[in-house]
Amino acid sequence: MSTPPDPAAAAGAPDALLGPADVRELAAALGVRPTKQRGQNFVIDANTVRRIVRTAQVRPEDVVVEIGPGLGSLTLALLETARWVTAVEIDDALAAALPGTVASRLPEAAERFSLVHSDAMRVTELPGPEPTALVANLPYNVAVPVLLHMLATFPTIERTLVMVQSEVADRLAAAPGSKVYGVPSVKAAWYADVRRAGAIGRNVFWPAPNVDSGLVSLVRREPPATTASRAEVFAVVDAAFAQRRKTLRAALSGWAGSAAAAEQALRAAGVSPQARGESLTVTDFAAIAEQAAAIGKNVEETERTVEGD
């Protein structure tokens, strides 16, 4: 394994990171134009990417995975500090160009960088050491599913910092009882302690987006103690928020098989059937899933006993 970088020495190279002119020149040379279809907005401010690395608390021993590196603005800043960076890029032209950008602007870091040319939603393994951190400017249109996929697929990721649309940041970090608390909030909480970690202005992007951006920090912790699987818990979450204006007794009736069955599972979990999903914690949802499975198992055993008689 190569020697970890010297952050002070790397940061002392002011020309290593990409500025506005560099980003536009690279894009022009590649014939690349940011597309709304892929949610592309390239960061053009070196201070912003260094701020992201600091906020992510990237350490010299960290192995970082980055999703959607684009032209490499954040990639270069991560390589100034991290032991290893793996970037996952779906765009053909951007994926082909990024290794060359790293080699030309931070040649001493080229051996600590790897690229995966793929859709992040299809990635199930990464080259190099196992990742310890995820840091990314996520494409706005797929931010939540990509984030949840990476957390589920790579349990060694201890810390995550993502830049997403401000509204999405609010949803991810929302607490029970909030108007924006919903499926992303609960599912993210299954994996980690989640909080808002700052705001990012529009003028640090090219092209400037029509929405503000926010930073979200996720620190991995153990999921709720439950005999229910993650899939079983997430099924309850999806059902509860599919009709969020309804009481849980009504909203979960389809999932449970009937309103009466939903009420039975809710009461067994210590949750009021008249409550709504927005008032429950991820631990509450896990309890509901566990009780429903237990009730279902008891019913099956009873039916087998009756058939045996």
Side-chain angles (χ1 to χ4, degrees), residues 255-300:
W255 161 79
S258 69
E263 179 168 347
Q264 185 181 5
L266 287 163
R267 291 195 182 281
V271 176
S272 169
Q274 301 308 309
R276 289 176 170 77
E278 63 194 39
S279 67
L280 271 57
T281 67
V282 65
T283 302
D284 293 328
F285 283 109
I288 295 167
E290 182 173 323
Q291 291 301 323
I295 292 168
K297 184 178 179 180
N298 289 338
V299 169
E300 289 178 2

Side-chain angles (χ1 to χ4, degrees), residues 157-179:
I157 293 175
E158 302 166 356
R159 286 164 290 110
T160 295
L161 187 81
V162 292
M163 179 161 56
V164 295
Q165 184 177 338
S166 186
E167 181 180 320
V168 175
D170 288 340
R171 289 176 181 169
L172 283 168
S178 166
K179 290 183 179 180

